[in-house]
Amino acid sequence: MTPVVSIEDLHTDIALRRGVAHPVSGVSFTVNKGETLGVVGESGCGKTMTVLSIMRLLPPGGHISRGHIRFSDTDLAALEEDGMRAVRGTRVGMIFQDPMTSLNPCMTIGDQVAETVLLHRKVTRAQARQRAEEVLELVGLPRARERLDSYPHLLSGGMRQRVVIAMALACEPELLIADEPTTALDVTIQKQILRLIDELRARLGMAVILVTHDLGVVAGHTDRVAVMYAGKIVETSSTRELFANPRHPYTEALFRALPENVERDRALYAIPGLPPDLSNPPPGCRFAPRCGYATPECRAEEPKLTGDRHPFACFHPLGKAGQTAANPPAQPPRAQQGAPLLEVRNLVREFPVNSNGVLRRRIGTVSAVSDVSFGVRAGETFGLVGESGCGKSTVGRLLVADDAPTSGSITFAGTQITGQPQRALRELRRDFQLMFQDPYASLDPRMRVRSILREPLAIQRRGSAAEQERAVATLLDEVGLPRAALEKYPHEFSGGQRQRIGLARALALRPKLIVADEPVSALDVSVQAQILNLMRALQREYDLTYVFISHDLSVVRYIATTIGVMYLGKLVEIGPAEQVHATPVHPYTRGLIDSIPLADPEREQRKGQAGVRGELPSAFNPPSGCRFRTRCRLATEICAEEAPAMRRFSEQGQQAACHHPLRAAL
Amino acid sequence: MTRFILRRLLQSLVVVLLVTVIVFILLHLLPGGPARAQLGPKATAMAIANFNHQQGYDRPLLVQYWRWLTELATGNLGFSVSLNQSVLSLIGERLPKTLVLTVLSTLFALVVAIPLGVVQAVRRNRAADYMITFWAFVFYATPPFFLGVVLIVVFSVYLPILPAEAPQSSSLRVILSQPAGLILPVLTLALLTIAQFSRYMRSSVIENLAEDYVRTARSKGAGESVVLVRHVLRNSLIPIATLLGLSLPAIFSGALITEAVFNFPGMGQLFWTAAQTQDYPIMLGITVLVGLATVIGSLLADLAYAVLDPRVRFA
């Protein structure tokens, strides 16, 4: 095996207004030809700074203070800028996280791919364009030739990421660095892009560094893994070995925080505390303050990364798999009998699309939600899943009367919400609240936590000022924040803490129903575990009903009692969570489940090519008949002609709308 | 695209008409009136009534407006009694001169301000940036009458290399044949505009330099000059396009104060004279012109957007 890049004792500093942060302190690894190294860790652990150091594209104030980056015969850490430019794009290519922003909006994709070639090779414009077309075909951009002159905004996220990959590969680099290449994409598209990177690596014989926070992505698409924590590699080995036998407590904690392996009657393991401040890291082992196994030795002395085939940096390594403590029990949400608290009947939401003419004629409709019906009983959690653009958030907004349906009805606790005048809705809103995905964007940055939490009480004139103050204090206790938080502003908190504030705000009026729209999608896995545990505990205490909207079936399987799967405005499958997850009936549900990367190399390998092909069609003039048919492997003529009706598939209430279900209907 | 432009132009006409109505009413609310201004403070009530009758100023406002509007439809902007000349020919005489002044200064400002803003963004928070920022604020904060006088003192009095007054002639050719006389007024206007544009350019470039696509370009091996010229510049010019569109009315209405300081026979000076004599036809004529310039300017800004930013396309 010839190492393509070999990093030795890399230290990177970033000068901040106050002091210096050390996001990379003493990182060493090698990547061989034809091999993928996964660099995994939570946000802020230094993984992106490590790869940006290799590219020498550190943010302002950043520089490599020590160490070597040996890339064939040159040390990139010591190369001048001119020499480095000759390496970037030719010998090392890079793919970034967000394809929506990593392309120049004012330049055609053909020009952007051709630019890489023009910068490095002595070719004519026509030749560069020719090469751009070849590479775009290589990365699977359909109708590449026609699309050379398209601007990025005309392409979907997945297609844009293919363009970014094409740019990185145009000069056939020896090393490809992919920094969270699929984090911004839907899981079905994620699967396609990761598979593409695998294929290209094999075909071009590149070395690949895949940076990700997702253990599932690492499991299925890497040969070796390096786990980073607080600027250091804490454990590294072959992927199989690491997943079979994690030695470092941090690696174990990451595994235990994943909802996918946890039974629904167990709590998730949440790593206590926060990652350390990297301008002033703790002495000794940097994970010690959050580690359940730490001893005074760990806090005094720093463990070195030692070992031959499977090095780790820990004084108290874990032994064989299965030795770890079981997760503490937690009461699963109760599936309750009786009349539903929330009843949704034939819900339709269409958005008119008008022409730009003087008369603004209506030229069509976007069918965001089409004939969706379901019921949610008091005290249960209804999980609504689907890809972005499937209409799940629109349903969420309709449920809390933030938007009015085109037709259909929503009944809440016996009262029909739809068609109520604003005055009556104001009363009703006490009982249903919304919790948002991005707690940073959804909290007013100029309001202190005290005012944020008091506002709902003040609007609804709940109690005297003193009573409201007491209620706010209680709320903070309930969501596990210190009283000192009252005087702070949202930006002074971490993402997880902000989501706790979001939850407290939703709870302020003691609602019966909380509609949570992707409440944990922006959070790291350990923080996600904290929030999910908290939501569960509060549910039991206050007999809350949740509608939990998420793209992540693993999370929904864990938290929900009932799952509804949406596809392009339609509810395609609904039923008890375990049943839908274990034995789905609709081909889309099956594909969605197969697309989720599992933190288990063996199972990932067995899944192989399964998933969902193609991309979500537009909800403007959606496909006739079954809307999923354009991406379905089982589709026949009838699927185009007739929209399938909901049929029952189990005594427990599993239903699906499909002409070719994966098992027979009752 | 054509349909979009036609629709916008139609909307613009409505806007300009509304503006004329408002100006018409406001003008007639002014105390004094054109008769008093024209005939002097000693004019008898009889003479004033006569004048008003002659000019039709004693008719109901609505009738006057309608008459003015029908004349406008035939291309007649009215006659200025005080200057004894038709408004159209007055504007035709003054506008080219003002355009020479304002267009030159705007172009000069763009040529200087865009590179300045880029340099500032690249050298952000370093000596060059602070220096340019300092001078930008100095010029931004200096009123043109003061700046103009300072320039005259420096370049016409201490080092007498430039004339203190703009060339005085009714002919554009004469004015253009003495370009030295244009330098100081153009410079006065340009310094202010440079100060403004360079600030916008600086923040726009800084914003774009932090964008992900810039990092992508660097990761391809593009050098800083390529990153700036090929990637950042076009994206950064988008806000400047709006700014330019919005400055079109100022380009047409002329620079009231600067023209006064340099005694430049342009639109600003014409408006000033008309306002003093309460010459309704001239003021209305200029209002129509500036109104049109405003709506066309914002239309042009929108079109420039579409050219610069492919995400904006008109159906």
Side-chain angles (χ1 to χ4, degrees):
Chain A
M1 280 294 202
T2 38
V4 171
V5 67
S6 152
I7 290 169
E8 292 160 25
D9 194 33
L10 183 71
H11 289 255
T12 298
D13 292 348
I14 295 178
L16 302 172
R17 212 168 290 172
R18 281 179 307 201
V20 178
H22 312 281
V24 184
S25 27
V27 165
S28 305
F29 59 75
T30 59
V31 194
N32 297 321
K33 195 167 152 52
E35 178 189 64
T36 302
L37 172 79
V39 178
V40 71
E42 292 180 282
S43 46
C45 70
K47 48 193 196 304
T48 293
M49 288 305 150
T50 305
V51 291
L52 286 180
S53 300
I54 300 176
M55 287 299 273
R56 294 266 306 277
L57 285 175
L58 289 165
H63 76 283
I64 297 172
S65 59
R66 189 138 55 91
H68 304 283
I69 301 166
R70 303 211 190 279
F71 185 70
S72 42
D73 46 359
T74 37
D75 182 2
L76 299 187
L79 209 57
E80 297 93 82
E81 184 54 28
D82 279 351
M84 201 57 225
R85 271 209 297 275
V87 172
R88 286 184 208 128
T90 41
R91 303 184 60 195
V92 187
M94 185 154 180
I95 316 169
F96 301 93
Q97 175 170 350
D98 191 352
M100 299 320 236
T101 57
S102 50
L103 289 169
N104 184 344
C106 289
M107 220 169 150
T108 63
I109 61 169
D111 283 348
Q112 294 194 57
V113 179
E115 188 183 23
T116 315
V117 186
L118 281 167
L119 280 168
H120 298 291
R121 293 192 181 160
K122 289 196 175 65
V123 291
T124 62
R125 286 193 160 272
Q127 284 168 323
R129 196 178 154 86
Q130 178 64 35
R131 175 69 188 150
E133 191 188 322
E134 277 169 35
V135 193
L136 285 170
E137 255 161 32
L138 179 76
V139 298
L141 185 80
R143 308 197 314 279
R145 179 190 282 274
E146 293 165 48
R147 281 187 166 152
L148 281 177
D149 295 318
S150 298
Y151 286 94
H153 71 279
L154 294 171
L155 304 180
S156 68
M159 288 303 149
R160 286 191 216 188
Q161 197 61 307
R162 285 175 198 267
V163 174
V164 177
I165 295 174
M167 277 188 324
L169 295 184
C171 292
E172 299 187 344
E174 295 144 66
L175 173 67
L176 178 69
I177 298 172
D179 185 7
E180 303 270 12
T182 54
T183 308
L185 303 173
D186 267 312
V187 343
T188 56
I189 308 300
Q190 157 163 299
K191 179 128 184 141
Q192 296 170 10
I193 295 290
L194 289 172
R195 207 184 293 153
L196 174 70
I197 295 175
D198 287 348
E199 282 167 17
L200 292 169
R201 177 195 51 162
R203 202 154 144 187
L204 307 174
M206 295 180 295
V208 177
I209 300 177
L210 181 62
V211 173
T212 178
H213 68 284
D214 189 334
L215 284 166
V217 168
V218 171
H221 301 275
T222 62
D223 303 301
R224 285 191 303 120
V225 192
V227 181
M228 279 191 81
Y229 182 78
K232 288 174 175 291
I233 291 180
V234 295
E235 178 168 12
T236 175
S237 80
S238 77
T239 306
R240 234 161 240 282
E241 166 78 14
L242 186 99
F243 282 78
N245 186 14
R247 304 301 302 274
H248 198 282
Y250 178 62
T251 317
E252 188 217 21
L254 285 180
F255 281 127
R256 283 175 69 196
L258 287 178
E260 64 185 56
N261 298 320
V262 179
E263 292 303 314
R264 286 148 44 80
D265 57 358
R266 301 268 145 190
L268 295 171
Y269 178 75
I271 308 175
L274 295 170
D277 173 8
L278 289 177
S279 51
N280 185 21
C285 172
R286 292 183 174 183
F287 187 57
R290 305 174 71 192
C291 180
Y293 308 94
T295 57
E297 183 192 11
C298 302
R299 293 186 183 89
E301 202 184 324
E302 192 185 326
K304 295 272 168 289
L305 191 69
T306 48
D308 188 23
R309 272 185 46 245
H310 185 166
F312 52 86
C314 183
F315 294 127
H316 310 291
L318 301 149
K320 293 287 172 222
Q323 186 190 311
T324 59
N327 285 4
Q331 293 286 346
R334 291 164 288 194
Q336 298 199 342
Q337 304 300 313
L341 175 74
L342 182 71
E343 180 98 50
V344 175
R345 283 287 155 258
N346 308 104
L347 201 62
V348 173
R349 179 66 172 111
E350 289 173 347
F351 296 96
V353 177
N354 294 325
S355 74
N356 263 327
V358 185
L359 298 170
R360 303 196 65 77
R361 279 167 302 120
R362 184 160 159 168
I363 52 173
T365 44
V366 167
S367 167
V369 178
S370 165
D371 198 13
V372 166
S373 305
F374 60 87
V376 184
R377 291 198 187 85
E380 89 168 333
T381 302
F382 181 82
L384 200 54
V385 287
E387 290 172 275
S388 48
C390 74
K392 56 190 191 300
S393 291
T394 309
V395 170
R397 291 183 49 216
L398 292 169
L399 292 183
V400 295
D402 191 22
D403 186 17
T406 310
S407 68
S409 71
I410 300 167
T411 315
F412 178 79
T415 318
Q416 182 160 335
I417 299 174
T418 35
Q420 289 278 359
Q422 281 300 320
R423 259 194 98 73
L425 274 180
R426 206 168 117 171
E427 299 275 307
L428 285 167
R429 282 210 172 95
R430 286 177 191 167
D431 286 335
F432 44 82
Q433 290 290 318
L434 201 56
M435 189 176 162
F436 303 91
Q437 169 172 3
D438 184 349
Y440 194 50
S442 56
L443 298 172
D444 187 333
R446 279 176 187 78
M447 269 166 93
R448 290 175 201 272
V449 170
R450 177 194 299 278
S451 327
I452 290 172
L453 296 183
R454 253 187 81 171
E455 194 179 35
L457 298 167
I459 289 172
Q460 297 280 356
R461 300 202 188 82
R462 273 282 172 91
S464 65
E467 279 164 358
Q468 288 179 3
E469 283 295 318
R470 272 201 301 280
V472 165
T474 319
L475 280 171
L476 276 189
D477 295 344
E478 282 168 358
V479 299
L481 286 175
R483 295 278 172 98
L486 282 178
E487 304 308 325
K488 292 188 181 170
Y489 290 98
H491 73 265
E492 296 176 76
F493 297 90
S494 70
Q497 287 171 329
R498 275 199 289 267
Q499 200 54 295
R500 285 171 193 268
I501 298 168
L503 186 55
R505 192 207 55 78
L507 282 172
L509 291 166
R510 300 294 170 212
K512 296 195 180 90
L513 171 77
I514 290 182
V515 175
D517 191 354
E518 302 269 14
V520 293
S521 308
L523 306 175
D524 271 315
V525 47
S526 68
V527 183
Q528 163 178 302
Q530 293 172 11
I531 299 294
L532 291 177
N533 285 341
L534 179 65
M535 285 183 74
R536 271 227 174 146
L538 290 168
Q539 178 169 43
R540 279 202 69 77
E541 197 167 339
Y542 296 103
D543 215 11
L544 286 169
T545 308
Y546 290 132
V547 171
F548 193 101
I549 299 169
S550 176
H551 69 283
D552 190 336
L553 242 167
S554 310
V555 170
V556 172
R557 178 208 61 96
Y558 172 75
I559 193 120
T561 37
T562 309
I563 293 181
V565 182
M566 280 188 75
Y567 183 80
L568 207 59
K570 289 273 190 193
L571 195 64
V572 296
E573 181 159 2
I574 186 170
E578 284 292 359
Q579 210 165 35
V580 170
H581 187 261
T583 54
V585 170
H586 199 285
Y588 177 62
T589 316
R590 174 83 263 167
L592 206 54
I593 293 169
D594 287 337
S595 302
I596 299 169
L598 293 174
D600 183 343
E602 314 254 330
R603 273 156 78 197
E604 268 299 302
Q605 201 173 34
R606 252 182 286 139
K607 279 196 321 205
Q609 300 289 305
V612 181
R613 60 182 181 173
E615 303 207 336
L616 195 72
S618 163
F620 179 71
N621 298 329
S624 65
C626 172
R627 292 189 176 180
F628 183 58
R629 68 179 164 83
T630 53
R631 298 171 75 188
C632 184
R633 288 191 171 83
L634 305 175
T636 56
E637 270 168 38
I638 187 171
C639 302
E641 286 157 10
E642 200 181 308
M646 272 284 180
R647 287 185 290 167
R648 276 170 68 84
F649 287 85
S650 84
E651 296 295 342
Q652 291 79 23
Q654 188 178 10
Q655 297 179 65
C658 180
H659 291 300
H660 306 291
L662 299 174
R663 65 169 197 272
L666 285 185
Chain B
M1 191 77 164
T2 342
R3 281 189 59 180
F4 170 81
I5 297 174
L6 283 177
R7 196 176 82 236
R8 281 288 301 269
L9 281 176
L10 212 72
Q11 286 172 353
S12 309
L13 274 182
V14 177
V15 172
V16 172
L17 273 181
L18 275 174
V19 170
T20 57
V21 170
I22 294 167
V23 172
F24 207 88
I25 295 170
L26 287 178
L27 279 181
H28 287 265
L29 286 178
L30 282 177
R36 179 65 70 192
Q38 188 63 33
L39 303 175
K42 287 181 185 154
T44 58
M46 182 74 169
I48 286 178
N50 249 335
F51 179 88
N52 282 343
H53 185 70
Q54 258 175 10
Q55 298 298 319
Y57 294 152
D58 56 347
R59 322 257 303 265
L61 217 53
L62 206 63
V63 177
Q64 288 187 48
Y65 182 71
W66 182 247
R67 215 180 64 173
W68 177 79
L69 203 62
T70 42
E71 287 295 313
L72 181 69
T74 63
N76 185 5
L77 277 172
F79 190 83
S80 160
V81 183
S82 61
L83 295 175
N84 200 23
Q85 205 174 347
S86 86
V87 174
L88 208 59
S89 75
L90 271 171
I91 289 178
E93 195 181 280
R94 299 297 188 102
L95 187 59
K97 293 170 198 158
T98 276
L99 285 181
V100 166
L101 182 65
T102 51
V103 170
L104 270 180
S105 70
T106 307
L107 286 181
F108 179 61
L110 277 178
V111 169
V112 176
I114 289 174
L116 270 188
V118 174
V119 167
Q120 283 188 275
V122 173
R123 310 234 140 229
R124 188 184 179 184
N125 293 346
R126 285 197 256 166
D129 181 26
Y130 287 132
M131 278 292 278
I132 299 172
T133 298
F134 173 79
W135 286 109
F137 279 129
V138 166
F139 287 119
Y140 211 12
T142 314
F145 63 81
F146 184 72
L147 185 60
V149 170
V150 168
L151 289 178
I152 290 172
V153 169
V154 174
F155 291 102
S156 312
V157 181
Y158 281 114
L159 345 147
I161 48 175
L162 292 171
E165 201 184 42
Q168 298 298 308
S169 166
S170 56
S171 137
L172 183 63
R173 196 173 306 148
V174 176
I175 290 181
L176 286 178
S177 68
Q178 302 166 27
L182 284 172
I183 292 180
L184 286 184
V186 166
L187 197 62
T188 309
L189 281 177
L191 282 173
L192 284 166
T193 322
I194 290 170
Q196 190 193 5
F197 282 11
S198 70
R199 297 306 297 163
Y200 276 91
M201 198 60 197
R202 175 183 183 270
S203 63
S204 182
V205 173
I206 285 176
E207 217 170 89
N208 275 288
L209 276 174
E211 291 286 336
D212 286 351
Y213 71 81
V214 171
R215 194 181 51 185
T216 311
R218 289 191 181 129
S219 80
K220 289 196 249 185
E224 282 312 290
S225 53
V226 173
V227 167
L228 277 174
V229 174
R230 210 180 295 164
H231 292 277
V232 173
L233 199 58
R234 183 166 165 193
N235 281 290
S236 306
L237 283 176
I238 296 172
I240 299 292
T242 319
L243 221 54
L244 264 184
L246 294 180
S247 63
L248 200 68
I251 287 176
F252 276 82
S253 65
L256 204 83
I257 292 165
T258 311
E259 286 184 12
V261 169
F262 293 97
N263 200 16
F264 188 89
M267 293 288 287
Q269 214 186 47
L270 179 66
F271 191 78
W272 176 240
T273 320
Q276 279 177 323
T277 53
Q278 293 202 15
D279 194 319
Y280 293 164
I282 295 184
M283 286 193 278
L284 277 169
I286 293 180
T287 306
V288 171
L289 183 75
V290 175
L292 275 176
T294 308
V295 289
I296 289 172
S298 71
L299 174 63
L300 285 178
D302 284 349
L303 293 180
Y305 253 64
V307 173
L308 286 167
D309 190 341
R311 286 165 294 186
V312 184
R313 289 281 189 250
F314 304 105

